Amino acid sequence: MAGFLREHSWPILVSVGLHGILAAALVAATLLSVNKVLPKLEPIPVDAVVIDSQVLHAAQRALNERAEQEAAKVRAAADQKAAADAAAAQAAADAQMAAEKEKAAEQAKASAAEVERVKQAEATQAQKAAAAKHAEDVRHAEDAKRAEDAKRADEAKRAADARQADDAKRAADLKAKAEREAELRRQLADEEHRSAVEASPARAQYIARLAARIQNAWIKPPSAHAGLDCVVNITQIPGGEVTSAHVSQCNGDAAARQSIENAVYRASPLPAPPDPALFERNLVIHFHPDE
């Protein structure tokens, strides 16, 4: 109703104003015709119809009733339109409310589904995390076991290596001790043998052979005189090869000395001793050639 009145306010006001003006004009005309004192004039013949005031009032009432009926019709139409608009608005509101309820229900359903999905995802993630943690724990346990096994194996290996090293050291010590004892026995035996050989005629015979070999290689220089007697220091290596020869004492001149040293080099290699115990690296030979 209020919306209809706002929408048709100007036509209603204009209609009511026109009817009011018409009614006022009729009332004013009636009052003037009743109360006005007309001047006395000569009557002029007028061809008019005299209207009774009751008729005028009746006309006025009819006009007012008609205006009221028009206003009532307008109000009724406005009321009907307002009722229709209100019904339409209510229907629209109901439809909107139903749509909103349906939308809210759908949103609630979607939210519930999303919550359920999130819960499932969280549960799945938790299961995956638990499985990963379990796998990590198992891997760590296996790594720790492998490390412990490796440590025990390494310790066992080190212990075995240490025992083996100790055994090897003891064996080496025993072997070295046995070798030292054997070498000492050999040296003692060699010394005893050497002493025995040197005390025998074999050494004198070996030295005589060396002197004869040198004398045979000697080329007598013209300056050499009878009774030549010299001492020659000779160094030899196994096999009899002479590495050095030097006359340390001699009653001859330089030419005689040089000739004796040359004779030693020419006699190389010197003959081997009849017994290896007689071999000497450094020899001292008395050279006194027979006349």
Side-chain angles (χ1 to χ4, degrees):
M1 181 67 182
F4 178 80
L5 292 176
R6 283 195 302 271
E7 185 178 355
H8 300 84
S9 58
W10 283 105
I12 293 172
L13 291 176
V14 171
S15 177
V16 172
L18 291 175
H19 285 83
I21 292 171
L22 181 58
L26 291 176
V27 172
T30 303
L31 292 176
L32 288 175
S33 63
V34 172
N35 296 323
K36 184 176 179 181
V37 178
L38 296 176
K40 291 181 178 181
L41 297 175
E42 290 294 330
I44 299 174
V46 177
D47 187 9
V49 178
V50 177
I51 300 174
D52 189 2
S53 62
Q54 293 180 353
V55 174
L56 183 60
H57 289 163
Q60 182 64 37
R61 283 194 300 272
L63 184 59
N64 291 336
E65 290 175 357
R66 183 176 179 182
E68 291 177 356
Q69 290 175 357
E70 292 293 332
K73 289 180 179 181
V74 171
R75 287 194 298 272
D79 292 339
Q80 291 177 354
K81 188 175 185 306
D85 292 340
Q90 184 63 36
D94 293 340
Q96 183 177 2
M97 184 176 295
E100 290 178 353
K101 287 182 179 179
E102 184 178 359
K103 183 178 180 181
E106 291 178 355
Q107 290 178 350
K109 183 178 179 181
S111 298
E114 181 66 19
V115 170
E116 184 64 23
R117 188 188 66 78
V118 171
K119 287 182 179 179
Q120 291 179 356
E122 291 177 351
T124 303
Q125 187 66 26
Q127 291 176 355
K128 290 182 179 178
K133 186 177 184 301
H134 177 70
E136 185 69 16
D137 293 339
V138 171
R139 186 166 56 253
H140 286 167
E142 291 176 351
D143 292 342
K145 185 176 183 301
R146 283 195 295 270
E148 185 64 23
D149 293 341
K151 181 179 178 182
R152 285 197 296 268
D154 185 62
E155 291 176 352
K157 184 177 182 300
R158 285 201 299 269
D161 291 342
R163 287 194 299 271
Q164 185 176 1
D166 292 339
D167 295 341
K169 185 176 183 301
R170 283 194 294 271
D173 292 341
L174 292 175
K175 182 180 179 180
K177 182 179 179 181
E179 290 177 352
R180 287 195 301 271
E181 291 176 352
E183 179 66 19
L184 182 59
R185 287 192 296 270
R186 188 184 63 78
Q187 290 178 359
L188 291 174
D190 289 345
E191 289 294 335
E192 292 176 356
H193 180 66
R194 178 181 290 277
S195 298
V197 172
E198 287 180 354
S200 67
R203 186 175 188 282
Q205 294 173 1
Y206 172 59
I207 296 300
R209 286 180 60 197
L210 293 178
R213 178 70 173 265
I214 294 170
Q215 185 175 351
N216 291 333
W218 181 54
I219 299 175
K220 183 179 179 180
S223 61
H225 56 79
L228 183 65
D229 188 5
C230 300
V231 176
V232 186
N233 296 319
I234 301 171
T235 301
Q236 65 173 343
I237 60 176
E241 183 179 354
V242 176
T243 58
S244 68
H246 176 65
V247 177
S248 60
Q249 297 178 7
C250 187
N251 58 1
D253 58 5
R257 292 170 179 266
Q258 185 64 47
S259 66
I260 295 171
E261 293 176 356
N262 292 338
V264 173
Y265 285 112
R266 281 194 294 271
S268 178
L270 300 176
D275 192 323
L278 295 176
F279 177 81
E280 295 181 9
R281 184 177 294 274
N282 298 313
L283 299 172
V284 178
I285 303 296
H286 283 82
F287 183 79
H288 46 87
D290 296 335
E291 295 295 341

